[in-house]
Amino acid sequence: MTHSSLTNLSNGKNNEESLLFSAKLISPNIQAQLPPGYTLRPLRRDDYARGFIKVLGQLSITGQITQPMFEERFDLMKRLGTYFLVCIETSNTIVACATLIVEHKFLHHCGQSAHIEDVVVDDTQRGKRLGIRLIDQLKYMSEELGCYKIILNCTQHNIPFYEKCDMKVAQVQMTRYLRRED
């Protein structure tokens, strides 16, 4: 998708209803830093067919997600209005994605904090700085959405990458996984 295609997308000419969130939240400056032929955009309701789940599966277990399951989850996230999944697409295929979740709080004068989750770049696309562009985009959106901080949890070996993205180690994450019957 070219820059003009992205402009058309942000003007609603590519069916804004099919987007998880408004394309107006996509930074033209960050888009311009992608390699030629790559487009940064919101997740679309038809991205199941573009390999979104396949790319996400390189990060963690996705399970057997069908297209109707994908569409149902997409519709829920869109209705809630606090989920912002960003994709990088080339040749009609999703090659990278990341999630921003906005948490509404009572702290900081009823402020909002942003959570970065599920950052993944297809293993055939690594080395093109796509991960850095995803994080830049999520930081940009966090500011545009009025968040007062961004939280990101990662494994020890990913700390150097996130430090390159101007994130810093702070506090400690605690986790308890709950068994879920499928």
Side-chain angles (χ1 to χ4, degrees), residues 18-86:
S18 71
L19 301 176
L20 186 61
F21 60 91
S22 173
K24 292 175 184 173
L25 280 173
I26 300 296
S27 166
N29 294 333
I30 297 168
Q31 170 64 43
Q33 294 176 51
L34 290 175
Y38 288 73
T39 301
L40 180 64
R41 63 169 177 78
L43 181 71
R44 292 192 336 213
R45 197 170 192 274
D46 60 355
D47 279 338
Y48 181 87
R50 288 183 181 81
F52 174 77
I53 299 299
K54 181 182 175 208
V55 171
L56 202 54
Q58 293 182 32
L59 180 65
S60 190
I61 299 165
T62 59
Q64 300 297 316
I65 298 175
T66 64
Q67 185 167 346
M69 290 167 67
F70 173 86
E71 291 171 357
E72 183 178 325
R73 183 53 48 111
F74 178 95
D75 293 344
L76 173 65
M77 289 177 162
K78 185 171 177 86
R79 237 182 355 266
L80 292 172
T82 57
Y83 288 87
F84 301 86
L85 282 75
V86 176

Side-chain angles (χ1 to χ4, degrees), residues 111-145:
Q112 300 176 140
S113 66
H115 297 260
I116 293 177
E117 293 280 340
D118 305 338
V119 179
V120 61
V121 175
D122 186 276
D123 57 10
T124 65
Q125 300 290 318
R126 298 198 179 137
K128 297 179 181 179
R129 303 179 65 82
L130 301 181
I132 291 171
R133 298 302 162 241
L134 287 170
I135 298 300
D136 288 346
Q137 175 60 37
L138 297 183
K139 291 187 311 186
Y140 171 84
M141 289 171 57
S142 297
E143 288 185 42
E144 290 295 304
L145 294 166

Side-chain angles (χ1 to χ4, degrees), residues 99-168:
T99 302
L100 183 76
I101 303 166
V102 175
E103 176 187 7
H104 300 274
K105 304 174 76 73
F106 285 106
L107 298 173
H108 293 269
H109 305 283
C110 291
Q112 300 176 140
S113 66
H115 297 260
I116 293 177
E117 293 280 340
D118 305 338
V119 179
V120 61
V121 175
D122 186 276
D123 57 10
T124 65
Q125 300 290 318
R126 298 198 179 137
K128 297 179 181 179
R129 303 179 65 82
L130 301 181
I132 291 171
R133 298 302 162 241
L134 287 170
I135 298 300
D136 288 346
Q137 175 60 37
L138 297 183
K139 291 187 311 186
Y140 171 84
M141 289 171 57
S142 297
E143 288 185 42
E144 290 295 304
L145 294 166
C147 297
Y148 71 90
K149 73 175 176 178
I150 302 169
I151 300 168
L152 178 140
N153 296 319
C154 70
T155 58
Q156 279 296 127
H157 80 274
N158 283 331
I159 290 174
F161 168 76
Y162 290 112
E163 286 177 332
K164 281 193 264 185
C165 298
D166 293 326
M167 303 294 288
K168 65 179 185 174

